[in-house]
C-alpha cells in the first residue's frame, strides 16, 4: 500500500520502494497511464513537487521521496448541484461511491438537467465546502439500482477510466430473471448495437460493440418461475445485462422493454458490489450496496454475501 496524505490543495505520496528509479514522467505514463495532455498541463503549470521543490521530471526517484500533486484546486462542478439524500458507500479525497436509487439517471442527458445522481454528488461536495469537478466513471440505467463510482478530480478520473477499460474495476450485479435457468454458470459473448426500429432499445448485432457478460445461477424460485443470477461484466455496453439475458431466453423480471413480465415495478437489476483498485494508495476498495428501492424484488437476500 502507498502512503498518501492531503495538505490543503496538495496530495502527498511517499515514493514506495518499488518506484525507486522511476522518474515522475514514467510514473504518469507507465504507472498511472495518465493522458498526455493532462500530464503536459501539470508539468507546465508546475503542479508536481518533489520534496517541496518543482519536480525534475526525468530524474530518478528515491524511496521515501515526497511526491506532491496539486489536485484539489477549485473547479466548476460540471453539473448543477442539486439536493438529494444520497446513500454514501465510500468516500475519500479522490473517490465517491453512491448507491443509486431507481428512477434516477446517473448523469444529465440534456443541458440544465438537475435531478441526476451526478447533480446530487455535486451538492454533496458543495455542502462540504469543496468545489471540484465530479465525474462518473461508469453508469447505471435509470431503473437499475446500486453502486456508482465517481472521481473527485480529473487525474483520478483518468486513472480509473483506464482501470475500467483494463477490467481492473470489478462490477457484480444481481438479476432476477423469468424462468428456471438450466445452466449453473456461463459466459455470453455477443456484440450489442442499436435497434434501428426503437429509439432506446439495443439488440444483438454482428456489427455492434463487443460485449461479455459472465453469469452464475444463485437460486431458482419454482413457485414464481424466477431465477436469481449473479453477473460480472468485462464490458459496459448500454443495457448489456438486459440484452444478453433476454437473448439467452431469460429476460429480467419487470423489464418490459426486453420481454420481461410486469411482476415488479422496474427491471430486477442491482449493482450489488464494486471492487476498485485505488488510483493512488493501491489498496482495493470493496463496496456493497444495500437494496434501497422495492425490497420485495430481492427479498431475503443479503447484499453483503456477494
Amino acid at each position: 500500500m502507498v502512503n498518501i496524505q492531503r495538505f490543503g490543495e496538495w496530495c502527498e505520496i511517499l515514493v514506495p520502494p518499488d518506484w525507486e528509479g522511476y522518474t515522475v514522467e514514467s510514473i504518469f505514463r507507465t504507472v498511472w497511464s495518465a493522458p498526455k495532455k493532462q500530464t503536459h498541463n501539470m508539468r507546465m503549470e508546475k503542479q508536481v513537487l518533489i520534496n517541496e521543490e518543482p519536480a525534475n521530471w526525468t530524474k530518478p526517484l528515491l524511496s521515501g521521496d515526497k511526491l506532491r500533486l496539486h489536485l484539489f484546486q477549485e473547479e466548476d462542478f460540471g453539473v448543477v448541484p442539486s439536493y438529494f439524500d444520497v446513500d454514501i458507500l465510500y468516500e475519500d479525497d479522490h473517490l465517491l461511491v453512491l448507491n443509486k436509487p431507481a428512477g434516477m439517471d446517473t448523469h444529465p442527458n440534456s443541458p440544465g438537467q438537475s435531478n441526476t445522481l451526478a447533480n446530487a454528488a455535486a451538492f454533496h461536495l458543495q455542502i462540504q465546502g469543496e468545489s471540484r469537478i465530479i465525474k462518473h466513471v461508469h453508469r447505471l440505467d435509470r431503473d437499475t439500482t446500486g453502486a456508482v463510482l465517481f472521481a473527485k478530480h480529473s487525474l483520478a478520473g483518468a486513472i480509473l477510466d483506464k482501470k475500467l477499460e483494463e477490467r481492473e474495476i470489478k462490477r457484480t450485479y444481481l438479476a432476477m430473471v423469468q424462468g428456471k435457468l438450466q445452466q449453473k454458470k456461463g459466459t455470453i459473448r455477443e456484440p450489442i448495437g442499436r435497434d434501428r426500429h426503437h429509439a432506446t432499445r439495443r439488440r444483438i448485432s454482428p456489427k455492434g460493440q463487443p460485449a461479455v457478460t459472465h453469469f452464475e445461477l444463485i437460486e431458482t424460485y419454482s413457485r414464481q418461475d424466477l431465477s436469481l443470477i449473479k453477473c460480472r461484466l468485462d464490458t459496459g455496453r448500454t443495457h448489456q445485462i438486459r440484452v444478453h439475458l433476454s437473448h439467452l431466453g431469460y429476460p429480467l423480471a419487470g423489464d418490459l422493454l426486453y420481454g420481461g413480465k410486469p411482476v415488479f415495478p422496474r427491471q430486477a437489476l442491482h449493482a450489488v458490489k464494486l471492487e476498485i483498485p485505488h488510483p493512488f494508495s493501491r489498496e482495493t476498495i470493496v463496496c456493497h450496496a444495500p437494496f434501497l428501492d422495492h425490497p420485495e424484488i430481492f427479498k431475503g437476500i443479503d447484499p453483503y454475501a456477494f
Side-chain angles (χ1 to χ4, degrees):
M1 197 167 95
V2 178
N3 188 310
I4 57 174
Q5 294 185 72
R6 179 174 176 177
F7 295 92
E9 293 188 352
W10 295 81
C11 172
E12 181 178 280
I13 301 173
L14 287 183
V15 173
D18 59 322
W19 283 7
E20 183 154 344
Y22 279 74
T23 63
V24 173
E25 185 175 350
S26 62
I27 287 173
F28 271 76
R29 185 181 65 249
T30 307
V31 177
W32 292 334
S33 301
K36 289 181 180 179
K37 183 178 179 180
Q38 186 173 17
T39 301
H40 176 76
N41 289 344
M42 292 188 73
R43 186 171 186 167
M44 291 299 100
E45 294 172 19
K46 294 185 169 45
Q47 293 182 332
V48 182
L49 307 178
I50 298 294
N51 300 323
E52 301 186 28
E53 298 290 335
N56 180 335
W57 282 63
T58 58
K59 181 181 178 180
L61 296 169
L62 299 175
S63 177
D65 278 346
K66 295 177 180 178
L67 171 63
R68 283 198 175 188
L69 310 170
H70 192 219
L71 299 178
F72 307 120
Q73 61 271 35
E74 286 201 355
E75 299 176 284
D76 184 86
F77 290 110
V79 296
V80 179
S82 182
Y83 172 75
F84 185 83
D85 187 15
V86 293
D87 182 28
I88 300 167
L89 303 180
Y90 177 83
E91 182 176 17
D92 64 15
D93 290 323
H94 312 277
L95 315 179
L96 176 64
V97 182
L98 300 180
N99 192 5
K100 190 183 88 63
M104 176 181 269
D105 291 325
T106 300
H107 58 86
N109 295 306
S110 58
Q113 186 179 355
S114 61
N115 59 346
T116 77
L117 195 65
N119 300 107
F123 186 89
H124 172 71
L125 292 188
Q126 186 179 61
I127 62 173
Q128 297 184 118
E130 299 183 75
S131 180
R132 285 188 276 124
I133 194 165
I134 188 81
K135 177 185 181 297
H136 65 280
V137 177
H138 64 110
R139 67 182 188 85
L140 297 177
D141 295 342
R142 179 178 177 83
D143 283 328
T144 298
T145 55
V148 177
L149 171 62
F150 290 88
K152 293 171 72 171
H153 56 79
S154 56
L155 183 58
I159 296 170
L160 291 167
D161 281 344
K162 192 69 175 177
K163 290 187 181 298
L164 186 69
E165 181 185 325
E166 294 174 349
R167 304 173 190 172
E168 291 184 43
I169 296 176
K170 309 295 184 186
R171 294 168 288 169
T172 302
Y173 293 76
L174 291 181
M176 193 73 76
V177 301
Q178 308 279 178
K180 289 183 65 178
L181 188 69
Q182 299 303 308
Q183 294 174 256
K184 293 290 185 184
K185 59 176 61 177
T187 299
I188 307 169
R189 303 178 188 274
E190 295 287 352
I192 294 174
R194 290 183 176 274
D195 188 329
R196 291 177 298 170
H197 307 291
H198 196 289
T200 57
R201 186 181 166 96
R202 300 296 192 271
R203 65 184 182 90
I204 300 299
S205 169
K207 295 182 180 179
Q209 294 177 298
V212 180
T213 303
H214 306 283
F215 67 89
E216 179 182 343
L217 176 64
I218 303 300
E219 192 172 349
T220 56
Y221 305 90
S222 299
R223 184 173 296 178
Q224 297 130 309
D225 194 31
L226 297 173
S227 299
L228 177 65
I229 297 174
K230 179 175 75 174
C231 297
R232 295 282 291 267
L233 301 183
D234 280 357
T235 52
R237 309 305 176 203
T238 299
H239 298 181
Q240 179 172 318
I241 292 175
R242 300 165 67 187
V243 173
H244 272 174
L245 292 179
S246 178
H247 175 74
L248 198 64
Y250 300 92
L252 295 180
D255 190 0
L256 306 186
L257 186 62
Y258 292 103
K261 298 176 183 177
V263 292
F264 299 125
R266 63 170 176 86
Q267 70 248 17
L269 185 61
H270 181 72
V272 72
K273 184 179 178 183
L274 195 57
E275 298 165 83
I276 311 153
H278 196 281
F280 302 109
S281 72
R282 298 195 296 201
E283 64 183 317
T284 299
I285 308 300
V286 180
C287 299
H288 292 86
F291 308 115
L292 296 179
D293 306 271
H294 310 296
E296 73 277 8
I297 297 177
F298 297 105
K299 186 176 180 180
I301 297 165
D302 181 7
Y304 296 92
F306 298 92

